[in-house]
Amino acid sequence: MGKNLLLKLSILLLILGFGLHNPVYAATSPGEDLKKADVSIDQAIDFASKGDLSNAQKAYDQFNKTWIQIEDGIKGDSATAYREIESNMGQVVYAFTLKKQDQVLLALQDLKAVNEKFVNGGYPKEAGFKKEDISLDDFILILQQTKKEVKEQNQAQALEGIKKASSSWLSVEGVVVAQSASVYSDSERDLVSIQAMLAANPPNYRLANKTIDSMINYLTPLAEKSSYTYWDAAMILIREGLEALLVVIALMSFVKKSGEGKGRGWIWTGVLSGLGVSVILAVIVKFVISSGAFGNNNALIAGWTGVFAAAMLMYMSYWLHSQSNIADWNRYIREKSQTALSTGKLISLGILAFLAVFREGTETVLFYIGMASQIKLQSLLIGFLIGAAILGILAYLMVFVGLKLSLRPFFMVSSLIVFYLCVKFAGMGIHSLQLSGLIQTTNSESIPSIEFFALYPSWESTIPQIILVLVAVIIVLSKRLKNKKTVVENNTNTESRKLS
């Protein structure tokens, strides 16, 4: 048992390792790192002085990629230097959008001067950016500063501000979700929308300003709350755990119906490894790096996990629906009577359980970290236990009801639940990738925002959901036509035998 569990955990964690691996920049000292990165700025200045703005942009982009890898070192060495470098980088980005040689060259030279000042020790040593997470009041202040840049129509600074808000969101989302799930959903939607409005050509300053105003208005009342109860803590676990629970229960009920014991082992392995990795990741965020620094990475992890889980849920939903015919199910059981479920399917059950639990588990523990400073430890633990107890009762009822159902209703209900989660995970996954900036956002006022389905007013997240629904409809209709054709053929064969 121990060896098998260890082997299963190793396989699942290896898969995760390939997905999350990110090479770390080999740092020496912050000054030396920046000096090496400045080679790209020198190249950009050289190209810009010759009027070659295209290659100047490419050289600057290379500096920006390196900056992302070394900025924590500069930030830890001098908060003042970090702010000035970031500000000058914003000026460079803005100059490139204007496509004017003299402004690009001046902005690059100013950035070069600031970098050299840091390399030569011209800034005071001050760790102004602490590892402590920012408060919701601080987050609202970032929005207010961004609003000011939007009003003055400073595109580069406004974009920088909203990106800062997006990366800092992880620090405050636990405080928000503990009080209002709808405000939490609205905040994530609006952060993506504002960034798209400001990145548009031309930028939609009017709508961006209106949306930031709306965010400030609905977040401000939440910032006034200074402490939380055990019920706030319980609701976080119930809300976040329910979707993962639905996936796990559907998988468990399926292997119970099939009489395959090994499948349960893989599912439990996926659940435990998902919980374990979630806790480890949260501890790293809390004690090793700041939540703000982890913000985009968390969005990327949540995004890709959601997309992969949606793909697997789509297959699982199709497979469950295909077994709703009793004759098909009996034939499947006969075919697998010797080996039960194939090894590939067993592993996929574990991976799907892992993805569902890991995605929701990471969110849950990070939410708890966000509210930990504003709730008594006793209340937090009691809330967690109450939430776990309620989820346990729901799990028991789901399994009990599921096993009482006959085969056809069981598979039909299970396939509908799994397909619903498939659509929702797809929307949530793509939205998280938009939040990280990996996928662009095309807003549309004609698309409603429906939290239940993770439907957001952007074409990039909505179109894949529409495609999933259309594919499901086509599959259901084609299966019905096939069944009707089979019935007609069987009736024809029966009549032929009677006549003969």
Side-chain angles (χ1 to χ4, degrees):
M1 174 64 183
K3 288 183 178 179
N4 288 336
L5 182 62
L6 195 60
L7 177 62
K8 293 170 184 176
L9 279 169
S10 299
I11 293 172
L12 290 171
L13 292 176
L14 184 62
I15 292 168
L16 176 69
F18 279 118
L20 304 183
H21 177 67
N22 185 25
V24 179
Y25 190 83
T28 47
S29 73
E32 290 174 3
D33 288 340
L34 188 57
K35 190 174 181 180
K36 290 176 184 176
D38 254 359
V39 172
S40 298
I41 295 296
D42 291 334
Q43 292 172 347
I45 290 172
D46 185 49
F47 284 123
S49 63
K50 297 174 182 176
D52 188 352
L53 296 187
S54 176
N55 279 320
Q57 174 82 65
K58 290 177 183 177
Y60 173 75
D61 288 343
Q62 183 57 49
F63 170 81
N64 190 55
K65 288 179 183 177
T66 308
W67 172 254
I68 292 171
Q69 296 172 322
I70 67 173
E71 63 178 327
D72 283 344
I74 286 87
K75 187 189 296 184
D77 192 87
S78 174
T80 303
Y82 177 80
R83 278 191 288 265
E84 289 199 14
I85 293 170
E86 284 266 302
S87 175
N88 277 273
M89 287 173 68
Q91 294 293 337
V92 172
V93 172
Y94 181 63
F96 273 120
T97 62
L98 298 176
K99 296 182 179 179
K100 292 184 178 180
Q101 180 187 3
D102 57 337
Q103 293 193 33
V104 169
L105 187 58
L106 180 62
L108 285 168
Q109 288 170 340
D110 287 346
L111 176 59
K112 172 71 175 176
V114 171
N115 290 352
E116 286 183 340
K117 183 179 177 181
F118 175 80
V119 171
N120 296 327
Y123 286 99
K125 300 285 184 179
E126 47 173 0
F129 289 86
K130 298 178 181 178
K131 291 186 185 295
E132 285 80 13
D133 298 329
I134 69 169
S135 67
L136 188 53
D137 281 324
D138 296 329
F139 183 81
I140 292 171
L141 182 61
I142 294 173
L143 291 178
Q144 290 170 336
Q145 291 169 341
T146 304
K147 181 184 172 184
K148 180 186 174 187
E149 300 295 346
V150 170
K151 276 190 171 182
E152 295 175 1
Q153 298 194 0
N154 296 327
Q155 185 184 29
Q157 288 86 342
L159 267 171
E160 185 182 339
I162 201 63
K163 287 177 181 177
K164 183 179 178 183
S166 295
S167 63
S168 301
W169 173 242
L170 185 65
S171 300
V172 300
E173 61 178 357
V175 173
V176 175
V177 79
Q179 299 181 67
S180 174
S182 61
V183 170
Y184 168 75
S185 179
D186 289 346
S187 299
E188 290 215 323
R189 176 200 65 207
D190 289 344
L191 282 170
V192 171
S193 299
I194 294 165
Q195 191 164 329
M197 294 165 190
L198 294 174
N201 188 17
N204 192 337
Y205 292 115
R206 182 190 63 80
L207 196 53
N209 184 65
K210 182 181 176 182
T211 310
I212 293 174
D213 252 344
S214 175
M215 281 194 76
I216 292 170
N217 289 336
Y218 62 61
L219 286 173
T220 299
L222 274 58
E224 295 168 359
K225 186 170 181 179
S226 58
S227 62
Y228 299 90
T229 66
Y230 64 86
W231 186 244
D232 292 321
M235 284 306 298
I236 286 180
L237 184 60
I238 294 168
R239 267 198 305 262
E240 298 303 311
L242 189 57
E243 286 168 2
L245 178 65
L246 286 172
V247 175
V248 173
I249 292 302
L251 298 176
M252 284 290 189
S253 299
F254 157 67
V255 296
K256 186 80 173 177
K257 286 281 187 183
S258 66
E260 174 47 45
K262 290 181 180 178
R264 286 194 296 274
W266 275 101
I267 294 169
W268 278 116
T269 301
V271 170
L272 294 175
S273 56
L275 288 172
V277 175
S278 297
V279 172
I280 291 169
L281 190 59
V283 169
I284 291 172
V285 172
K286 180 63 180 175
F287 297 106
V288 180
I289 59 176
S290 68
S291 291
F294 186 68
N296 278 356
N297 289 325
N298 180 61
L300 283 170
I301 292 170
W304 286 121
T305 305
V307 170
F308 290 144
M312 296 189 72
L313 284 166
M314 181 63 183
Y315 171 73
M316 191 71 190
S317 176
Y318 166 75
W319 192 88
L320 286 168
H321 180 76
S322 69
Q323 303 305 318
S324 60
N325 184 291
I326 295 175
D328 290 343
W329 172 250
N330 289 333
R331 181 168 59 254
Y332 176 81
I333 291 296
R334 283 197 303 273
E335 289 173 357
K336 300 296 181 181
S337 59
Q338 298 300 317
T339 60
L341 298 172
S342 66
T343 303
K345 271 200 175 64
L346 289 175
I347 295 176
S348 69
L349 294 178
I351 293 173
L352 184 50
F354 170 82
L355 289 173
V357 173
F358 173 65
R359 192 192 189 290
E360 303 303 328
T362 304
E363 292 287 331
T364 303
V365 290
L366 291 175
F367 287 161
Y368 279 135
I369 286 174
M371 70 182 299
S373 61
Q374 299 175 43
I375 186 174
K376 294 179 181 178
L377 179 60
Q378 183 182 4
S379 297
L380 183 63
L381 293 175
I382 291 173
F384 178 83
L385 292 174
I386 290 174
I390 292 174
L391 283 178
I393 293 169
L394 289 173
Y396 175 79
L397 291 174
M398 288 177 188
V399 172
F400 181 76
V401 172
L403 293 178
K404 286 288 183 181
L405 292 174
S406 57
L407 278 175
R408 182 172 174 77
F410 167 77
F411 281 114
M412 292 299 290
V413 170
S414 296
S415 64
L416 283 173
I417 291 173
V418 171
F419 180 70
Y420 157 71
L421 292 172
C422 166
V423 173
K424 187 167 186 178
F425 273 46
M428 291 165 65
I430 293 171
H431 186 70
S432 292
L433 294 176
Q434 289 176 317
L435 193 61
S436 73
L438 187 66
I439 295 178
Q440 68 174 20
T441 304
T442 306
N443 294 318
S444 174
E445 294 181 11
S446 61
I447 304 173
S449 181
I450 305 175
E451 184 185 350
F452 184 75
F453 293 105
L455 183 66
Y456 301 97
S458 83
W459 288 115
E460 287 80 7
S461 61
T462 302
I463 289 175
Q465 290 179 304
I466 293 172
I467 292 172
L468 286 172
V469 173
L470 290 176
V471 169
V473 169
I474 292 169
I475 289 172
V476 170
L477 291 177
S478 63
K479 185 171 175 60
R480 284 188 177 181
L481 288 173
K482 183 180 177 183
N483 288 340
K484 283 183 180 179
K485 186 178 178 182
T486 303
V487 170
V488 171
E489 288 177 353
N490 289 339
N491 289 337
T492 303
N493 292 335
T494 302
E495 290 296 325
S496 299
R497 284 197 296 270
K498 284 182 179 179
L499 291 173
S500 62

